[in-house]
Amino acid sequence: MVEVIKQEVHKACWSQCVQDCLVMVTHLYLGVLVLAVFATTVANADINVVCAKNSVRVTWRVNAELVPYAARLFLGNCMASQWKVLPSGEGEAQFNYTFSECKFTKMIKGKRLYYQNEMSYRPQAKPNPPDFVHPIECVYRRPKDWVPRFVNPGYGVSEGHSRLVFHMALLNEELSSIAKTNVIPLGSPMPIWAAVEQKSHQPLLLLIEECVAAPTAELQPGSQVYPIIGNKGCLLESKKGNSMFLPRYHSSSIILYLQSFNFGFGEVYIHCKLTVWDPQDLAESKKACHYIKGTNRWELLDDPSRSSLCNCCDLSCKSRSRRGVEWASDGPSHNSVLGPLIIVAQSDFRDGNTMMESATTADPQLK
């Protein structure tokens, strides 16, 4: 009799457990279903972008389920400029802002000017991530007279030929200003900008004749070096790695776009020999060449149709005498040093307050 009672109790408990589990599973399923439908509602949002001269207008139409959450719709860090509920029950958010607002990022790539941001739906405040993100981009033709705000080429008229002033610096990844740190994650872009102030000179073409990485700010005989540019302007690293010269915005400046890697030493100093030349008188010894892996050939930065001048990059490029320009008293070349740069693993990277120290000091080893 006792055994029969135990069996009945066991059956009753098991039956109740199954019912409880079914209820819990049903609730969980319905919860997931609701979340899935809600996520689909956001993902299917209708977003229209109109790019004006210095501003953007974004119209975001959302389904009725999102109408109560209008305050959680953002363009960058900006809330909607206008909000209305449509007769259909849907909602429409309008964002009218200039590119100086809402944390738009500005980027120059070749002959294009990009303003970028993102639309987001944040049901919870930061630091919680958004549930939905949609990229916003306006693309314009780069102004012909555009130069980065960190450089003033220094045009002017003066008596005679003044001394040439050279610059070299590390840029941020957006190429919009000087980098705020000298700590660079392994594998990330390492854009190096060089320029010469023309002042009263005729138009000048800035070239990087030679460039090496070294563990010290001064080169000595026997110093450990890693070649980056050699053979009279050939970007050797473009053939071994993912580096290139970017299209120029002016003949008096050049951007060497390197991908950081382990140079084999801690602190890295970039030693470059900068040279100026007549833009109309390119030659094997006065050129800027990089290797295009897609075509398996060297290409001349300033005139791809004359890329035959780069054929010597795998051999030995001949020197030639200067002509056509009355050079300043300090000559047409300058040896610059940039550093120290610190390459760290991605996992160790911290955007701290370590600031880049750069110098443009003479280096007798690069002549």
Side-chain angles (χ1 to χ4, degrees), residues 297-318:
R297 63 189 294 268
W298 290 92
E299 183 177 279
L300 186 66
L301 170 66
D302 298 293
D303 186 357
S305 67
R306 300 180 61 195
S307 292
S308 59
L309 293 176
C310 303
N311 291 344
C312 62
C313 284
D314 289 322
L315 303 170
S316 178
C317 298
K318 300 176 181 179

Side-chain angles (χ1 to χ4, degrees), residues 80-216:
S81 307
Q82 298 178 6
W83 168 259
K84 61 181 177 180
V85 179
L86 304 176
S88 63
E90 297 175 309
E92 185 179 271
Q94 287 194 0
F95 300 81
N96 300 304
Y97 291 101
T98 64
F99 293 128
S100 62
E101 302 173 289
C102 307
K103 294 188 175 181
F104 271 90
T105 59
K106 178 181 178 181
M107 181 169 57
I108 299 289
K109 285 186 177 180
K111 296 182 179 180
R112 299 292 179 184
L113 170 63
Y114 297 81
Y115 288 98
Q116 297 173 329
N117 211 327
E118 61 184 23
M119 306 297 301
S120 64
Y121 167 65
R122 291 184 173 274
Q124 296 178 313
K126 294 181 178 181
N128 296 295
D131 279 9
F132 170 78
V133 173
H134 181 81
I136 300 295
E137 183 176 77
C138 290
V139 184
Y140 305 88
R141 181 177 295 277
R142 190 190 73 197
K144 292 182 179 180
D145 58 349
W146 178 87
V147 294
R149 61 176 177 269
F150 56 85
V151 55
N152 178 0
Y155 296 109
V157 178
S158 62
E159 296 295 329
H161 292 287
S162 58
R163 294 171 61 88
L164 295 174
V165 179
F166 292 83
H167 303 276
M168 191 166 74
L170 180 71
L171 303 184
N172 59 21
E173 291 190 21
E174 293 78 23
L175 310 178
S176 60
S177 64
I178 302 297
K180 295 181 178 179
T181 177
N182 64 342
V183 181
I184 304 168
L186 186 65
S188 64
M190 194 168 74
I192 296 175
W193 163 79
V196 59
E197 293 186 22
Q198 295 195 182
K199 298 187 177 180
S200 61
H201 289 279
Q202 67 182 65
L204 300 176
L205 181 71
L206 181 71
L207 301 169
I208 306 179
E209 186 172 309
E210 183 180 358
C211 210
V212 300
T216 59

Side-chain angles (χ1 to χ4, degrees), residues 196 198 202-207 248 250-253 275-282 286-288 302 327:
V196 59
Q198 295 195 182
Q202 67 182 65
L204 300 176
L205 181 71
L206 181 71
L207 301 169
R248 295 182 190 263
H250 195 276
S251 65
S252 62
S253 68
T275 303
V276 291
W277 195 248
D278 181 353
Q280 306 301 320
D281 192 29
L282 296 174
K286 301 296 179 184
K287 65 190 185 305
D302 298 293
W327 299 107

Side-chain angles (χ1 to χ4, degrees), residues 190 210-216 219 222-230 234-243 256 258-265 267-272 366:
M190 194 168 74
E210 183 180 358
C211 210
V212 300
T216 59
L219 293 181
S223 291
Q224 181 184 3
V225 298
Y226 182 95
I228 299 173
I229 297 175
C234 301
L235 179 51
L236 308 176
E237 187 56 30
S238 65
K239 193 169 186 178
K240 296 181 287 185
N242 297 315
S243 299
L256 171 59
L258 297 175
Q259 183 178 34
S260 63
F261 59 95
N262 189 351
F263 287 94
F265 25 82
E267 293 186 347
V268 178
Y269 292 84
I270 306 297
H271 299 254
C272 295
L366 290 176

